[in-house]
Amino acid sequence: MSRSFSSSAVANSIRAKVMLYSQYGQPDQVLRCVSHELPSSPKGKEVLLQTIACPINPSDINQIQGVYPSRPELKVQYGQSEPVAVGGNEGLFKVLAVGDQVSGLKEGDWVIPSNVNFGTWRSHVLSEESALMKMEKTISANQAATIAVNPSSAYQMLTLFEELKPGDWFIQNGGNSQVGRSAIQIGKKLGLNSISIVRNRDNLKELVDELTALGATKVITEEENASKEFGKTIAEWTNGKPIKLALNCVGGDNCTNMVRKLGQDGTLVTYGGMSMKPVTIPTTLFIFKNITAKGFWVSANIKRIPGSRENTIKAVQKMMEDGDLVDVKMYENPVSADASEEEVYQAFQKALANSNKGKQLVVFS
Amino acid sequence: MSRSFSSSAVANSIRAKVMLYSQYGQPDQVLRCVSHELPSSPKGKEVLLQTIACPINPSDINQIQGVYPSRPELKVQYGQSEPVAVGGNEGLFKVLAVGDQVSGLKEGDWVIPSNVNFGTWRSHVLSEESALMKMEKTISANQAATIAVNPSSAYQMLTLFEELKPGDWFIQNGGNSQVGRSAIQIGKKLGLNSISIVRNRDNLKELVDELTALGATKVITEEENASKEFGKTIAEWTNGKPIKLALNCVGGDNCTNMVRKLGQDGTLVTYGGMSMKPVTIPTTLFIFKNITAKGFWVSANIKRIPGSRENTIKAVQKMMEDGDLVDVKMYENPVSADASEEEVYQAFQKALANSNKGKQLVVFS
């Protein structure tokens, strides 16, 4: 069907643009944008949504590359002859219309997907009400569009592994990452002291000041983390109190040196491996310091701990409302929800191409 | 005091020989044997003991080398001018006499220390009753003298970390070690299936047959453990059932390759590092397979889990009584309890020198 036909039928249907792929590979090679018609009057429990904003997360890219364990099923849909899946797992949508059996949502409401593999990279979608979680408009659209992955990960890692009490210490690498910045702020709100490890750089003082302003207790470089002597400085900071939790998204020597800073019975939580090197822990830390090493994956916790996603998002949303968790810097790639397939495609490709320069959002208007 | 004086005073006192050290270092350089008088009629809650047998454990050597976190306090005792500590942590003793307030022990009873750092390398000792645990004479003296460390470690690792049910699988490296052999037998008694990794050798079939006779379900070489293809063979053995627990006393690549065999949510328990290499675990196993890595130290569990030592020893003793856990091969170094300091010293030095050839016991008669 042509776009002109779609426009002429606007009263009865909406032309949704969808970023999909039929084989795994680099997103710029395997993603394409196709259109399909959606009824403008949903039935029963159906909810018609228009996308407000959706981020490019590293896990979205890994998923399309085929290297991510959790993947949407490839199936024949959207008028395609071969099985396809839609990109993206996180995003904010507004309700355009609801079916007559929808009880908890109305036109104009904000919603996010309540599970992974929703396929958020599209202009419109028809969803069951049960697959959606309502978001109050007490936070910014960008915050709501990105609440489920990075700040939720930080919140869960700080609350699910160790019973940290105000005054307790945690340490993390990747202190300048989105999760790292969230952990700094959430930690401060929980009364925790934090040590964040960052890469050395020309404008280090600027970054240290920035993270300190967010609530970081201490910011150290990878070189300081690697130095045995620096352990004494940390012991002075903590006044000998054991560091109970370490959050790792780097691996390799950075992680090994961080684990050495943990106190007796401490826990290392690994949620990423940016160095592409494995987690290496001296035997003595396991045997004599009784360190525990675990992994964290926010997507798995949705199934493993019922209610964890909702409870986490509510807690994080409250911190955002109260100003305890401030907007991270995001780069907006705007496009109209009525734009052509090519325009939507270009907006996503631009966001993908720049995704290593900072958090990219495709924003529909 | 001379030995002749001691002999003449046998009615009132006993001449105890003690292997002690006043500074950390190699046992053959820092250990010496000294004598001191013990009253032959203990008072109150005291119990007079003569050593039956005591093993040389690797941790005893590490303790004397000063590289072991749990160490006896060096204090001025046994007529020495400088602070000293007594070697050894495990051993079996017989009661020679008890004080009038001792209620649970009588002459001839067998006892083992109920805590670490008892200092077992000696001919006689005067102890409080509360520091002793009575052993029934339903197992051999050698079994009783070595029950608290190796088989107890195997039992606790198989029961404290994962709720293993009959038919479940575990995997271990160091399959030919004392702990490994205990784990094979205890695992079989608990209805568990085991995969034991051993080093390749000329007489491999002989070792495989020996471990299989002990109850090993499967015995594989380090090369097979390292091979990706071999994972399929293991999956056939387990019929796709996830391996829930891995016991590690080696570290390095051996351990990494073993962890890859664990199923979803599996646990790696590290209790040794014979390769002198750390524990290295791929990030993806933590994040996507939800592997947990922990450490195990039987000495720490005595304090951490009250009653664990007693319960464990009773359970292991029952398996030994029933013939489910057979005597491991031990090398006896005999010496008389009345022997000279030099003779006792030589017996221990011989045992220490041969401790890499198999489990060495100093046996007093």
Side-chain angles (χ1 to χ4, degrees), chain B residues 7 29 34 41-42 45 61 112 122 124 140 147 154 156 166 176 196 201 204 209 219 223 267 290 293 305 313 323:
Chain B
S7 295
Q29 290 172 18
V34 303
S41 300
K45 295 177 178 172
I61 295 172
I112 63 173
R122 48 172 129 209
H124 303 83
S140 77
I147 197 171
Q156 291 193 0
N176 190 30
S196 291
R201 61 196 73 202
L204 178 66
D209 289 347
V219 180
E223 289 72 23
T267 299
N290 198 37
I305 312 169
I313 285 175

Side-chain angles (χ1 to χ4, degrees), chain A residues 168-218:
Chain A
D168 281 345
W169 287 79
F170 74 93
I171 188 167
Q172 65 172 348
N173 54 27
N176 190 31
S177 69
Q178 298 300 336
V179 173
R181 284 165 171 258
S182 293
I184 285 170
Q185 296 175 77
I186 294 169
K188 187 187 180 199
K189 178 61 185 171
L190 297 175
L192 307 177
N193 292 303
S194 62
I195 299 171
S196 290
I197 304 160
V198 299
R199 275 174 294 200
N200 207 345
R201 60 195 74 204
D202 288 341
N203 61 343
L204 178 66
K205 186 177 179 312
E206 202 175 302
L207 177 62
V208 172
D209 290 347
E210 195 184 342
L211 298 184
T212 306
L214 287 180
T217 315
K218 299 288 177 184

Side-chain angles (χ1 to χ4, degrees), chain B residues 276-293:
Chain B
M276 306 298 281
K277 288 179 186 152
V279 175
T280 296
I281 302 176
T283 298
T284 52
L285 294 187
F286 278 122
I287 299 179
F288 302 127
K289 247 188 173 179
N290 198 37
I291 298 300
T292 298

Side-chain angles (χ1 to χ4, degrees), chain A residues 69 271 279-281 288 292-294, chain B residues 69 279-281 288 292-294:
Chain A
Y271 68 98
V279 175
T280 297
I281 302 176
F288 302 127
T292 297
K294 297 190 70 92
Chain B
V279 175
T280 296
I281 302 176
F288 302 127
T292 298
K294 297 190 72 91

Side-chain angles (χ1 to χ4, degrees), chain B residues 54-69:
Chain B
C54 52
I56 311 293
N57 286 321
S59 53
D60 299 326
I61 295 172
N62 292 154
Q63 203 171 51
I64 295 166
Q65 289 167 331
V67 297
Y68 206 65

Side-chain angles (χ1 to χ4, degrees), chain B residues 307-325:
Chain B
S308 66
R309 186 182 181 98
E310 290 74 13
N311 294 341
T312 297
I313 285 175
K314 275 175 193 160
V316 171
Q317 193 176 9
K318 177 75 166 60
M319 290 184 195
M320 288 173 167
E321 283 170 26
D322 294 346
D324 297 317
L325 191 46

Side-chain angles (χ1 to χ4, degrees), chain B residues 220-234 253-254 257-258 260-261:
Chain B
I220 65 175
T221 62
E222 291 197 321
E223 289 72 23
E224 288 170 325
N225 178 45
S227 150
K228 279 196 176 179
E229 290 71 40
F230 204 76
K232 289 174 203 156
T233 304
I234 291 178
D253 288 344
N254 175 311
N257 292 325
M258 180 171 71
R260 292 185 198 279
K261 311 299 188 300

